[in-house]
Amino acid sequence: MTLAIASAYPSAALAQSNDELLKELRALRDRVNQLEERLKANEAKPAAGAAAGGTAQWGMTPQQAQDFNRIAVKTEALEDSTEAMGLKGLKISGYMDPSYIYNRNQNRAGFQFLNNVENGGYHYDNSYIGTVALDLLKETEGGTRWRLTLSPNRGTDAVIGNGGLVQEASVSIPLGDLQTRLIAGHIPDWSGYEYLPPTQNKLITHNLLFDFTLPTAYTGAGVELTRGKWITKAVLANLNASMLPSGEKSPVIAYRVDYAKGEFDGFGFAGVHGKAANAIGGTGNTMLNLFEIDGYYIRGDWTLQGQVSYGGQKRASITANPDNDELRNSEWMGVSGLVAYKFSPRFETIARFDYLKNDKNGGGLLGFGSDARNGIGPRMTGRDVDTQDLLLTDTERGANRSALALGVNYLYDLNTTFKLEYRYDRADREVFEVVKSGSFSKSNNLLGASVVVKF
């Protein structure tokens, strides 16, 4: 969810290679230099067509000077009107990605668009798929940035359970200089190499670490420091909550540090430490520790991205101690890697592999207990006839998960991308429910297609 340069599509260079773009930029620089020299030469000459008593202005005739002044007055009036309406420094952008998803074990195939997160919950086969978002970014003359991103049913506010429209609502205020800033508000998580917006995510689905081990959003305040090639952000905040429940007083500390070695390679690391909501009911907030390292490397038509994560939470494992029924700690670690290659400026192929080790104490991930759709927890044998609760066996050991995703992207134009993806999910325990038969499997298959349109 960070390092935007690692996966965002540069709008001006999508239809050409890096070498071609560099040549064009150099040619443009040369033309600008020539124009500046000609303008300086004209300034030194008197106006050729100036009438008696007239004054020379940039080598223009009096009539040309009058036309120029009229345009200047109209431009100033337009700028004043824009500022009066609050539109000065305002940038409006947006995107949407109507999608089609087939999930074999879930016996489900159909379009996904603006699906409410409360309708079935958050899963790897719906995640942030099928969204629409409107982004408003306002920057004042003093350098303050105000941002509001709205995403009905599919934004971070909906995922954390508020059911709202907000994906981001934040301010960034310079403190003395533009490189030292106060940041505050509702801020999407910044961990990992993947992002919420489909415009910045090469595949349709997200990796296992993104979906199951990373926070969703922070509500709080902190600082952002830019020092050369380093960018550091840190906040004191509520984790995945707009307001802490009664009895809870401790915010978490969340931070991220990025280093950009150049325009096409860099790395970052992020962490979260503090008390957070526990997926195991009745336990209240318990101590959580998350840490991850990610990086990117782009050379020519090749893109490489990767991430390594570790996390754990107290009293959050899926199964209790069999000797005394006390809740135990959950712990996980994972790795994700992506490689992409452009066969042409428009056609790109992508492969991503994820592995998530989650076998300790029956498993347990950030905000997830036993889950037969996502493949989380111990071996599953069926459901209770009356309660429909999962029947678990071999409860001391949770399933380790892996996923392989293969995809292709076709850039139709600078604003439209078509995506196609096949994904194979695997576990070392029977944790995927086959809805049609009621049995449980170690694997699942998914197909996806989407069209991403931005402006």
Side-chain angles (χ1 to χ4, degrees):
M1 301 181 186
T2 48
L3 294 175
I5 191 173
S7 62
Y9 294 109
S11 60
L14 285 171
Q16 55 191 326
S17 69
N18 292 331
D19 291 338
E20 292 172 341
L21 179 58
L22 186 58
K23 291 179 181 178
E24 289 192 11
L25 290 174
R26 287 172 176 169
L28 179 59
R29 180 195 61 190
D30 293 339
R31 290 197 295 270
V32 170
N33 290 338
Q34 293 174 6
L35 179 59
E36 288 180 347
E37 292 175 358
R38 293 171 62 182
L39 287 175
K40 290 178 180 178
N42 287 337
E43 288 180 16
K45 298 178 182 179
T55 59
Q57 184 174 348
W58 290 75
M60 293 185 292
T61 66
Q63 182 60 45
Q64 290 173 332
Q66 292 177 8
D67 293 339
F68 177 83
N69 290 334
R70 282 195 295 269
I71 294 173
V73 170
K74 290 182 179 180
T75 301
E76 291 176 0
L78 181 60
E79 291 177 350
D80 291 342
S81 177
T82 300
E83 184 173 2
M85 291 187 293
L87 300 178
K88 185 177 181 180
L90 177 64
K91 179 182 178 181
I92 302 176
S93 60
Y95 60 83
M96 65 170 58
D97 68 324
S99 303
Y100 183 89
I101 300 294
Y102 163 78
N103 186 320
R104 185 195 65 180
N105 286 357
Q106 285 293 304
N107 193 30
R108 177 186 290 112
F111 289 96
Q112 290 189 21
F113 190 55
L114 301 185
N115 173 53
N116 196 317
V117 175
E118 295 179 354
N119 180 20
Y122 179 96
H123 304 278
Y124 77 92
D125 62 346
N126 63 15
S127 192
Y128 291 91
I129 302 167
T131 66
V132 63
L134 180 65
D135 183 68
L136 308 174
L137 177 61
K138 168 79 174 183
E139 184 166 358
T140 67
E141 291 184 357
T144 296
R145 298 175 190 145
W146 178 96
R147 184 165 217 149
L148 177 63
T149 306
L150 303 177
S151 182
N153 297 334
R154 310 300 299 155
T156 56
D157 206 31
V159 170
I160 66 177
N162 290 340
L165 296 173
V166 175
Q167 179 164 304
E168 179 174 357
S170 64
V171 293
S172 174
I173 305 169
L175 301 176
D177 59 75
L178 297 179
Q179 285 70 47
T180 304
R181 291 177 168 272
L182 168 71
I183 54 177
H186 177 90
I187 305 169
D189 177 58
W190 44 48
S191 308
Y193 69 86
E194 287 191 333
Y195 303 84
L196 301 182
T199 54
Q200 296 177 314
N201 188 30
K202 289 184 178 294
L203 291 167
I204 299 171
T205 67
H206 289 90
N207 68 60
L208 291 175
L209 308 186
F210 179 100
D211 281 328
F212 303 132
T213 74
L214 301 183
T216 300
Y218 309 106
T219 301
V223 294
E224 178 179 333
L225 307 175
T226 303
R227 298 294 185 269
K229 297 180 179 180
W230 293 90
I231 300 177
T232 302
K233 294 178 286 190
V235 293
L236 286 174
N238 307 335
L239 177 64
N240 298 347
S242 58
M243 183 177 68
L244 291 179
S246 177
E248 300 294 345
K249 304 174 184 177
S250 302
V252 302
I253 179 171
Y255 54 88
R256 177 162 184 96
V257 178
D258 285 301
Y259 175 77
K261 182 178 179 181
E263 185 178 358
F264 301 107
D265 55 303
F267 69 90
F269 60 89
V272 178
H273 310 283
K275 287 188 175 182
N278 195 323
I280 307 303
T283 59
N285 288 10
T286 59
M287 188 65 189
L288 171 73
N289 287 290
L290 303 175
F291 188 79
E292 65 86 17
I293 301 173
D294 55 78
Y296 62 97
Y297 180 85
I298 303 172
R299 281 298 179 271
D301 296 320
W302 288 95
T303 297
L304 301 176
Q305 297 171 317
Q307 178 184 349
V308 178
S309 294
Y310 169 82
Q313 188 170 9
K314 287 188 175 181
R315 301 193 303 279
S317 66
I318 290 176
T319 62
N321 189 320
D323 297 328
N324 53 25
D325 288 332
E326 291 183 358
L327 293 174
R328 296 178 290 183
N329 300 338
S330 63
E331 184 178 32
W332 59 86
M333 58 187 66
V335 60
S336 176
L338 179 147
V339 57
Y341 179 75
K342 286 188 175 182
F343 284 94
S344 73
R346 293 180 180 271
F347 184 74
E348 184 176 33
T349 58
I350 306 102
R352 182 185 66 207
F353 178 76
D354 314 319
Y355 179 76
L356 184 56
K357 181 176 173 57
N358 186 223
D359 54 1
K360 184 175 181 178
N361 298 333
L365 294 169
L366 182 60
F368 290 87
S370 295
D371 190 323
R373 182 165 166 182
N374 290 312
I376 301 172
R379 178 178 283 113
M380 303 172 187
T381 59
R383 289 185 178 273
D384 185 274
V385 175
D386 298 323
T387 65
Q388 290 300 300
D389 290 339
L390 290 168
L391 301 177
L392 309 178
T393 186
D394 191 15
T395 55
E396 286 298 290
R397 193 178 188 284
N400 294 323
R401 286 275 275 108
S402 61
L404 174 65
L406 304 174
V408 294
N409 290 344
Y410 177 72
L411 182 67
Y412 181 74
D413 57 36
L414 291 178
N415 300 97
T416 308
T417 301
F418 293 98
K419 296 182 178 181
L420 184 66
E421 177 184 344
Y422 164 74
R423 173 167 169 157
Y424 176 72
D425 282 85
R426 180 78 181 175
D428 62 358
R429 294 288 187 273
E430 292 82 359
V431 289
F432 291 104
E433 185 173 18
V434 183
V435 174
K436 196 171 184 179
S437 65
S439 62
F440 290 82
S441 171
K442 291 183 178 180
S443 64
N444 193 21
N445 293 274
L446 179 145
L447 290 173
S450 71
V451 54
V452 181
V453 181
K454 64 179 181 178
F455 70 90

